[in-house]
Amino acid sequence: MARRNDIRNLAIIAHVDHGKTTLVDTLLTAAGAFDRGEGQIERAMDSMDLERERGITITSKPTSLSYKGVRINLVDTPGHADFGGEVERVLNMVDAVLLVVDAFEGPMPQTRFVTEKAIARGLKILLVVNKIDRPGSEPHKTVDDTFDLLASIPGATDDQLDFPVIFCSARERYAMVNPEDERGDMTKILDFIVERAPGPEISDGALAMWVSTLDYDSFLGYVAIGRLQSGEIKVGERVALVRPPRREKVGAPPSVEVFRVRKLLGFQGLRRFERESAQAGDIVALSGMETLEVGDSITTEDPTTRTIFPRLDVDPPTMTMRFRVNDGPFAGREGKYVTSRKLAERLEREIRSNVALRVSATEYAEEFEVAGRGELHLSVLIETMRREGYELCVSRPRVIFRRDENGEVSEPYENLVLQCDTEYSGAVIDKLSQRMGELRVMDSAGTGRTRLEFKIPTRSLIGYRSEMMTDTRGTGIMATTFAGYGAYQGPLKSRPRGVLVALETGETSSYSLARLQDRGVLFVGEHIPVYVGQIVGEHSRDNDLVVNPCTAKKFTNVRAAGTDEKLFLTPARDFSLEQALAYIEEDELLEITPKNMRLRKRNLDHNTRRRDAKASVATSG
């Protein structure tokens, strides 16, 4: 089987904050991929607002650059474990991976997770040791640690273990083959890729393309993105889209849609350009189909020469939530999409591209079970829908339990690696021990820093990230990877205090809130609309308390001493989306609209809740 020498297809993989996106920026600049006058565009591949705000890559995106007559196709991938599905689905587009490792931190958990997938696919590994300008960095030790990591992965071949290495500082824009060498510019990495990465294998078969990612354009409709595994494709040609049956319909025949290629697009820097044709080995985008899902096969119209790829299989989800329409008193005031039909359509559209997500119906027509890789994976979906104008209510995240071969309940576990200043490590160990974490490794991570490794149930980490940042005064860095299923550890201690629940619908007053401050911590400020059943604060005791934050001060004709005293309100506690999801209990929901987030009881009526509570006590008794 021949190889094309004019193309290199690579995925860039790394742990969070190891400089992957910055490296892509500098390579694009070095190859002259930006227009004159644009200069260097910071975090060019992070096109989503959420990616720029959070400083992480969420979706995999291809780009391309030309260097010395060779087209280098780069696929930027997420570094967070919750978005591992994004990495798994694009590895079939590439022949090698550019593994970026921080010279100070060395290989981290997500490095192993993604590298295992690359090793299993037989991809060539090219190591880039980044951030060698960082104080305390150990480039050579990082190479040794990476070798030990690859050697510990089952199935790693001698060729994969004999990986080439280059050292750089993407931020300072210099690179060299050895850390002791004279600094060169970033074209050294481009030369490194051209010389060491293999070209794509070319077969003489008919047209075959595995859809690795998709896009939607208001003018073009669905856009399929993937690499041509064999054959050639032209604009105007009639081809077939073949979709294997879903998991729940195993054995059913695949669905087939024959369509004409309307547009064929190539990639150059941050732009797409029209092409008339493409050959095996090219990464392209094409449009013209009516429906599309990640994992579809685009092949010949003739059934006798079709190549049908298997359904794309990724690791299963470990966490689930309930999404339902907003049925609160304020429903429809702020959102554009508020019905269950719109919610179902949006979730159906999401699973076409988000392969790690699962959506299923529940016993309620207006409620859906949504399963994902983790808390961050689901919260990004919620935040995206919120910004698109959706109103919905979501439940507290729950892990997905299973039964093992002996019929015993098992639960998902995570490998947690955490670095923090040494003075705060005691508080971290104490908190994680309370959350049923098992300390595996504790060692130094440089001057004044400690590295901790835990094995911990997935459910114990819900809401822990923000707590960790408080405990470590912002010095902590944590990362997790799925470790598999293990023995169920029993019930986890829930929220220690009850909540303050609004008695009636109205607008909060400073007079009423000042009287409630002694009862607990408030979540709302003055002159805020609230409704019956909404959670307005945390009670100082372990039981829920119904309060009225809307009572106005009564005016009389009599003036008395102390009547006109000034009221001082403590600032209300403000929740982030992840904090709010971790705070609510099973009988509570988080109402999400484009403008607000409100914590509420699932059942808004106080009398009904009281009656249900008595019935449950009587039943348990």
Side-chain angles (χ1 to χ4, degrees):
M1 190 176 289
R3 288 186 180 272
R4 285 184 64 176
N5 291 321
D6 61 335
I7 288 181
R8 302 290 187 271
N9 296 323
L10 301 97
I12 300 187
I13 59 178
H15 186 79
V16 183
D17 290 334
H18 278 204
K20 169 174 49 62
T21 303
T22 305
L23 179 62
V24 175
D25 293 343
T26 55
L27 292 181
L28 289 171
T29 304
F34 299 127
D35 285 340
R36 186 179 299 173
E38 284 184 323
Q40 163 124 2
I41 299 177
E42 293 295 327
R43 295 171 57 197
M45 297 301 291
D46 286 350
S47 55
M48 295 171 56
D49 290 340
L50 267 179
E51 290 179 319
R52 291 184 173 275
E53 289 170 17
R54 292 174 179 253
I56 59 174
T57 301
I58 294 174
T59 58
S60 297
K61 294 172 285 292
T63 186
S64 181
L65 54 91
S66 297
Y67 182 71
K68 293 185 176 179
V70 177
R71 178 168 292 278
I72 302 174
N73 295 313
L74 298 172
V75 183
D76 189 17
T77 62
H80 201 287
D82 279 24
F83 307 112
E86 290 287 322
V87 180
E88 293 172 66
R89 68 186 172 96
V90 300
L91 289 182
N92 57 48
M93 293 168 54
V94 300
D95 306 289
V97 293
L98 209 59
L99 176 59
V100 183
V101 180
D102 188 317
F104 179 81
E105 295 183 355
M108 293 285 278
Q110 182 67 5
T111 311
R112 179 185 179 92
F113 170 77
V114 183
T115 309
E116 279 182 345
K117 305 294 182 183
I119 292 289
R121 288 188 173 273
L123 301 177
K124 175 78 174 176
I125 307 295
L126 281 70
L127 178 63
V128 178
V129 180
N130 191 23
K131 301 188 181 182
I132 61 171
D133 59 322
R134 186 173 174 181
S137 63
E138 299 179 280
H140 292 297
K141 182 177 184 299
T142 299
V143 175
D144 294 340
D145 291 344
T146 304
F147 177 83
D148 294 341
L149 169 70
L150 295 179
S152 68
I153 297 176
T157 65
D158 292 340
D159 182 58
Q160 288 171 323
L161 292 176
D162 188 23
F163 51 84
V165 185
I166 194 165
F167 302 86
C168 76
S169 169
R171 187 181 64 178
E172 300 299 326
R173 303 189 203 178
Y174 65 81
M176 67 279 287
V177 177
N178 289 302
E180 296 80 17
D181 291 351
E182 185 179 346
R183 295 179 179 182
D185 60 23
M186 296 301 285
T187 57
K188 279 190 174 294
I189 297 184
L190 297 176
D191 289 325
F192 175 71
I193 291 172
V194 171
E195 294 168 8
R196 296 305 191 98
E201 291 186 343
I202 304 302
S203 64
D204 298 328
L207 170 65
M209 172 178 155
W210 201 357
V211 179
S212 299
T213 184
L214 60 84
D215 195 3
Y216 186 83
D217 186 277
S218 55
F219 296 102
L220 300 178
Y222 283 110
V223 179
I225 302 172
R227 187 181 83 170
L228 290 182
Q229 307 288 347
S230 62
E232 183 181 9
I233 192 168
K234 298 178 180 178
V235 174
E237 182 181 2
R238 286 176 62 84
V239 297
L241 184 144
V242 183
R243 179 173 304 138
R246 292 191 175 181
R247 294 172 183 82
E248 61 270 18
K249 298 179 180 178
V250 176
S255 61
V256 179
E257 177 194 344
V258 177
F259 67 96
R260 193 178 299 278
V261 179
R262 190 187 309 166
K263 291 279 187 182
L264 187 64
L265 304 171
F267 298 91
Q268 179 65 35
L270 304 182
R271 297 172 298 281
R272 297 176 182 176
F273 63 93
E274 291 192 26
R275 302 179 57 161
E276 290 300 317
S277 64
Q279 291 73 40
D282 287 329
I283 293 178
V284 294
L286 60 96
S287 68
M289 67 288 295
E290 292 294 326
T291 63
L292 185 65
E293 289 184 12
V294 170
D296 289 351
S297 303
I298 293 178
T299 182
T300 59
E301 184 182 8
D302 182 4
T304 61
T305 59
R306 284 177 184 164
T307 300
I308 304 176
F309 296 102
R311 188 165 189 87
L312 194 62
D313 195 25
V314 299
D315 288 346
T318 58
M319 194 168 288
T320 181
M321 293 173 66
R322 291 286 183 105
F323 284 40
R324 61 179 292 173
V325 296
N326 182 12
D327 59 354
F330 295 166
R333 291 188 181 184
E334 300 169 2
K336 189 163 53 171
Y337 307 111
V338 296
T339 63
S340 59
R341 181 175 64 85
K342 289 292 185 182
L343 184 59
E345 288 175 356
R346 178 63 180 83
L347 293 174
E348 179 67 26
R349 192 164 73 247
E350 183 68 23
I351 61 175
R352 290 176 179 172
S353 59
N354 197 336
V355 293
L357 202 71
R358 305 279 186 275
V359 178
S360 55
T362 65
E363 63 274 21
Y364 306 108
E366 72 281 357
E367 196 163 295
F368 305 91
E369 189 91 20
V370 182
R373 281 284 181 85
E375 188 182 3
L376 184 60
H377 186 202
L378 294 169
S379 67
V380 165
L381 170 61
I382 293 169
E383 182 63 32
T384 303
M385 293 175 64
R386 174 188 183 186
R387 296 184 182 204
E388 292 173 357
Y390 286 84
E391 278 193 20
L392 66 154
C393 290
V394 297
S395 68
R396 177 184 172 87
R398 292 179 289 110
V399 298
I400 299 174
F401 294 101
R402 292 181 180 175
R403 290 194 177 274
D404 58 22
E405 59 275 7
N406 300 320
E408 299 292 330
V409 176
S410 60
E411 64 174 319
Y413 280 75
E414 303 283 331
N415 287 324
L416 167 66
V417 175
L418 194 150
Q419 288 187 11
C420 65
D421 286 355
T422 303
E423 60 185 298
Y424 306 122
S425 60
V428 170
I429 294 172
D430 181 53
K431 283 285 180 67
L432 289 175
S433 299
Q434 293 176 22
R435 290 172 174 255
M436 300 182 291
E438 178 187 344
L439 180 62
R440 296 287 183 87
V441 177
M442 179 178 179
D443 57 22
S444 173
T447 307
R449 300 276 291 178
T450 298
R451 175 188 172 106
L452 306 168
E453 294 186 20
F454 287 84
K455 185 176 182 182
I456 187 167
T458 301
R459 60 194 169 107
S460 300
L461 292 175
I462 296 176
Y464 176 67
R465 189 177 296 273
S466 60
E467 194 174 320
M468 180 273 297
M469 293 301 287
T470 302
D471 290 342
T472 63
R473 305 299 188 270
T475 67
I477 302 171
M478 63 176 278
T480 61
T481 52
F482 179 57
Y485 275 76
Y488 175 59
Q489 293 290 327
L492 186 66
K493 185 179 179 182
S494 62
R495 188 176 63 207
R497 296 183 180 87
V499 290
L500 303 176
V501 185
L503 173 67
E504 61 183 29
T505 301
E507 187 177 280
T508 59
S509 70
S510 54
Y511 171 74
S512 186
L513 293 178
R515 295 191 304 160
L516 293 176
Q517 284 186 137
D518 293 338
R519 297 298 186 103
V521 180
L522 297 176
F523 299 161
V524 294
E526 56 185 336
H527 307 306
I528 301 295
V530 297
Y531 55 78
V532 57
Q534 181 178 336
I535 297 172
V536 296
E538 181 178 84
H539 194 196
S540 56
R541 301 184 181 182
D542 60 0
N543 64 306
D544 293 349
L545 182 67
V546 177
V547 298
N548 189 353
C550 306
T551 304
K553 183 177 182 180
K554 299 294 188 293
F555 292 99
T556 68
N557 291 330
V558 179
R559 183 165 183 168
T563 304
D564 297 326
E565 66 212 21
K566 190 173 180 64
L567 300 175
F568 292 95
L569 294 179
T570 304
R573 183 192 295 181
D574 195 19
F575 285 99
S576 67
L577 178 57
E578 284 84 3
Q579 288 171 333
L581 290 173
Y583 186 81
I584 57 177
E585 292 285 8
E586 291 296 327
D587 66 332
E588 297 164 0
L589 297 172
L590 176 62
E591 178 188 313
I592 296 166
T593 72
K595 296 181 180 179
N596 288 293
M597 287 192 302
R598 302 181 182 95
L599 282 69
R600 50 161 281 190
K601 289 293 184 179
R602 181 181 286 269
N603 189 337
L604 298 177
D605 184 74
H606 308 304
N607 295 323
T608 307
R609 284 203 311 275
R610 193 180 299 115
R611 187 168 60 247
D612 291 345
K614 288 181 179 178
S616 63
V617 170
T619 304
S620 61

